[in-house]
Amino acid sequence: FSIYLMSVLLMVFFIDLKHQIIPNGLVITGLIGGAAFFVLRFWHDDAILDGAAWYSPLLGMAATSGFLFVIALLGMLIYKGEAMGMGDVKIFLPIGLFLGLRLGIMALIFSVVIGGLSGLFHTPALFGSYRHVHEIAYFVLRGVDCGCRLAGGSATAAAPSFAPSSRPAKAQKTP
């Protein structure tokens, strides 16, 4: 399922880079996969949540997208126009659903830090004019990958362990 999320994020990255838009269809595709993963977590342990509460993915969705929504609203009030696209807010819905609260917040923090550092090096004061900077989807992709790596592996290595041996076996009585 982590490969599924990274595949969706890679598509989002290339579309965002070329057209500066994050399609709702890809957000919905991510949410469908995240919902399937959420349901499977009721029967199988996975390496991503690592013992977190069952509602952690729902909190992850609300916290990450909610935070970005508040930032987008504040940006609109301060700059009297769109400061951040709603696609950037919506793409964190499936990210939070897949990663849960802890890793979702870590992915958001890494995305902001990586994007901020990149923006620092692409300022007009350094280059005389704005240079083309990767769209936010790149920073989201890198942030999700960094968050998963910090949790104990790459995003693809943090795949769920749905093997029967992932749960301890019950002791059997012998007659």
Side-chain angles (χ1 to χ4, degrees):
F1 279 98
S2 296
I3 293 171
Y4 180 86
L5 174 64
M6 293 306 283
S7 298
V8 170
L9 290 178
L10 276 171
M11 289 185 279
V12 165
F13 165 67
F14 285 113
I15 292 171
D16 193 25
L17 185 63
K18 185 172 184 177
H19 302 286
Q20 296 183 348
I21 188 168
I22 297 175
N24 289 337
L26 285 177
V27 174
I28 292 169
T29 301
L31 285 171
I32 290 169
F37 193 35
F38 179 73
V39 170
L40 284 175
R41 286 178 170 152
F42 285 108
W43 292 281
H44 301 284
D45 292 331
D46 69 279
I48 294 175
L49 288 184
D50 196 28
W54 68 269
Y55 51 85
S56 178
L58 301 176
L59 291 176
M61 277 178 37
T64 56
S65 286
F67 176 77
L68 288 176
F69 184 69
V70 168
I71 296 298
L73 289 178
L74 288 174
M76 279 196 219
L77 291 173
I78 292 170
Y79 296 111
K80 310 278 191 261
E82 187 179 61
M84 179 171 65
M86 285 296 125
D88 304 323
V89 174
K90 292 183 287 187
I91 197 60
F92 265 93
L93 289 170
I95 291 170
L97 189 57
F98 269 95
L99 299 181
L101 181 62
R102 184 175 62 90
L103 286 180
I105 290 173
M106 285 173 47
L108 178 63
I109 290 169
F110 281 124
S111 300
V112 169
V113 168
I114 293 168
L117 289 174
S118 177
L120 180 68
F121 293 110
H122 290 94
T123 59
L126 294 176
F127 297 105
S129 66
Y130 283 103
R131 291 171 37 151
H132 180 69
V133 180
H134 296 293
E135 294 302 318
I136 188 101
Y138 171 76
F139 307 116
V140 170
L141 182 66
R142 296 308 307 153
V144 169
D145 189 48
C146 288
C148 288
R149 286 178 190 273
L150 207 66
S154 70
T156 54
S161 56
F162 289 138
S165 61
S166 65
R167 294 182 184 256
K170 292 182 180 179
Q172 295 181 357
K173 293 182 181 179
T174 55

